[in-house]
Amino acid sequence: MPRTDHIPGPAPAAVPAAVPGPASAPTAAEFAFPLVRRTGYLLHKAGVLLMHEADRALESRGMRMRYFYVLAALEGGPSLSQQDLSGLLNLDPTTMVALIDEMESAGHVERRRNPADRRRYILDLTDAGREALLGASRAVEEVEQDFLSAVPAADRERLRDILGEVLADRWPSVISCE
C-alpha cells in the first residue's frame, strides 16, 4: 500500500470492504441525480448519445450526421432550399453554405436557381447522393436498432409516434410529421 503520510490535507477516507456479488452500475432510479426525472433532459441525453454513436458509424463513410441529415432531407418530398435546410437542421446559414459546397464537390447535391426567387437555390439529390444516402441510412439504422435494442419493437414505434405528436405543430411549414 502506498504511503499517504506525506500528502498534506485530511486523511483519506477509509475504503469500504467489497461486497460480494456481481458489480453493477446504479440504475437511473438509484442514482441521486434529479435530472433523471426530467423528460426533456432524458430526451436530450438520449439524442446526444445516439448522434455520437451514429457519427462514429458514419466516419468510415467520410460523412458526419449533418451531411447525412441533408442527404436524407433531400431524398423526397418538397423542394428545399439552403435556407429551408438551415432552419430545419438548426445549422448556421454560413455552415450550411459550406456543407452544400462540400456536397456539391462530392457530386451528391446539385444547386439550381429557384424560378420563383432567383436569389435562392433549390437543392437536388444526385444519383451519387442517393447511393451515398443508401449506405449511410443502413449504418444509421443499425446504430438506432442497437441503441434501442433494450426496448421492445412496439414501444420503439410508439416512441417515434409520440415524438411525432409532440413535434407535429412545431415543424416549419415545409415539413409534416407522418
Side-chain angles (χ1 to χ4, degrees), residues 24-124:
S24 64
T27 65
E30 297 167 332
F31 196 72
F33 188 59
L35 283 174
V36 298
R37 292 186 297 277
R38 306 298 304 188
T39 303
Y41 174 77
L42 293 175
L43 283 169
H44 172 73
K45 189 66 173 175
V48 167
L49 292 172
L50 179 57
M51 292 307 101
H52 176 72
E53 290 180 23
D55 258 334
R56 284 197 340 235
L58 290 172
E59 277 179 26
S60 65
R61 299 177 177 287
M63 198 178 291
R64 298 175 311 279
M65 278 305 293
R66 61 185 177 191
Y67 196 109
F68 169 74
Y69 283 153
V70 170
L71 290 175
L74 295 175
E75 182 179 24
S79 294
L80 298 172
S81 70
Q82 291 175 179
Q83 294 86 352
D84 294 333
L85 283 172
S86 178
L88 290 170
L89 302 179
N90 199 31
L91 288 174
D92 177 77
T94 4
T95 301
M96 181 57 69
V97 169
L99 180 58
I100 298 302
D101 287 346
E102 176 186 341
M103 297 175 84
E104 195 171 38
S105 292
H108 293 155
V109 169
E110 291 177 342
R111 289 178 171 111
R112 64 181 166 84
R113 290 278 184 196
N114 182 337
D117 182 352
R118 304 284 297 156
R119 297 168 296 167
R120 294 168 55 104
Y121 286 100
I122 298 296
L123 303 171
D124 290 315

Side-chain angles (χ1 to χ4, degrees), residues 99-171:
L99 180 58
I100 298 302
D101 287 346
E102 176 186 341
M103 297 175 84
E104 195 171 38
S105 292
H108 293 155
V109 169
E110 291 177 342
R111 289 178 171 111
R112 64 181 166 84
R113 290 278 184 196
N114 182 337
D117 182 352
R118 304 284 297 156
R119 297 168 296 167
R120 294 168 55 104
Y121 286 100
I122 298 296
L123 303 171
D124 290 315
L125 198 57
T126 64
D127 289 340
R130 289 182 196 289
E131 189 176 317
L133 175 60
L134 184 63
S137 288
R138 284 191 208 119
V140 170
E141 179 67 26
E142 186 176 307
V143 167
E144 288 178 357
Q145 291 295 325
D146 289 346
F147 188 82
L148 296 169
S149 64
V151 179
D155 290 342
R156 280 183 258 157
E157 189 64 28
R158 182 66 187 133
L159 174 61
R160 191 194 68 75
D161 290 345
I162 289 168
L163 292 172
E165 291 167 17
V166 168
L167 296 172
D169 294 333
R170 292 172 170 86
W171 292 105

